[in-house]
Amino acid sequence: MARPEINRSGEIEVFVRIVEAGSFSAAARALRMTPSAVSKLIARLEARLGARLISRSTRRLQLTPEGIAFHDSGVRILAEMAAAEREAAAGAAPRGLLRVNSYVPFGQHRLVPLLPRFLERYPEISIDLVLTDHVIDLMEERADVAIRAGPLGDSRLVARKLGQSRTVVVAAPSYLDAHGTPRTSADLVRHNRMGFRFARHIDGWPFVDRAGLSTVVPTTGNALVSDGEAMRLMALSGVGVARLARWHVEQDIAAGRLIPLLEDFNPGDEELTHAVYVGQGKHLPARVRAFLDFLVETVRL
C-alpha cells in the first residue's frame, strides 16, 4: 500500500494557529475545520514526531518544551514560505521588514551612516535595528542578519566577511598627564586598564617583547563596560587605558583626542568583522541578500 502523502506545511500551520488562538476549538473555527479534525491532526503529528507537543492535563493549553521549540521553528518556516511566495510573485524585489543586530561601535560609526543610502536604494524595505555587543541567538531573536566582531563560533550560521582592523591601546592626553605614559607592557600594571563585562576570546591584552616573545597583560581596572563605544567614551573622558579596533578610534587619534600606546610591542593582531545569518541550504529572502551585498559593497574598515 502506498504511504499517504504528509502535508508538513499544513500540519505546521494548524499547530501554530492552535498556539496563537489558545485552543483547539478556536483554531478549528479560524481554519474552517472541525475540532475533531484538528485534534486528530495534532495526534498524528505527535505520533510521527514521537514527542508530545501539547499538554492536555489541564483545560488551559500548555506547550511542552518540545512543543515550544516546534512552535518557534514553525513560525519561522511559515514566515520564510510567505516571504518566498511574495518575492516570487513580485519578481523577487527586495521588500519587507529587515531585522538587523550589530555590535555597538560598528552600528553607530559605520552602519547607521550608511542606512539612508540603503533605504533610498530599496524603498520597500524597512529596518528594525538593535545595537548590542552581546552575542545573540539569531533564531531566538528572529534577526535576519547580525554583525559581529571577533572569531565566529556558531557553525549553524553563514558568514560574509566585511573587513578587518588592527587593534590599538589608547589613552587620552589628560589621563597620561595625570598618570604618566607606559613605555613597556610591564608598565601597564600601574595603570587603569579598562575591560568589558562580557567574555572575550582573549582574556587580556597581548603584546610582544623586544625579543619577540608573547605576553598577555590582564585587564584589571576600576571600570567595566558593556560595549566598545562605551569603552571609547570612557577613554576620551580620561578614565583609563583602552584597547580597541583601530578603525573605531582612528578619527580620535588623528585629532589628538586619544594617543596610541606601546605600538612597538603591538603583536599586530586584527579584529575581523562579519555579517552572519541563518541561510545555508535555505531560501534567502531578497531583502537579506540585498542588505548583505550592500554591506560588502560599502563597508570599509
Side-chain angles (χ1 to χ4, degrees), residues 115-136:
L115 285 182
R117 284 176 57 189
F118 176 76
L119 294 174
E120 182 178 4
R121 183 182 298 184
Y122 300 105
E124 295 187 69
I125 294 179
S126 57
I127 293 282
D128 181 349
L129 175 63
V130 175
L131 303 184
T132 175
D133 274 20
H134 292 278
V135 177
I136 66 154

Side-chain angles (χ1 to χ4, degrees), residues 91-105:
R95 65 179 66 209
L97 178 63
L98 179 71
R99 294 183 173 90
V100 179
N101 181 282
S102 172
Y103 69 101
V104 178

Side-chain angles (χ1 to χ4, degrees), residues 277-294:
Y277 57 96
V278 180
Q280 192 165 12
K282 298 179 181 178
H283 173 78
L284 190 61
R287 68 184 186 281
V288 176
R289 189 177 303 280
F291 183 67
L292 293 170
D293 291 343
F294 176 82

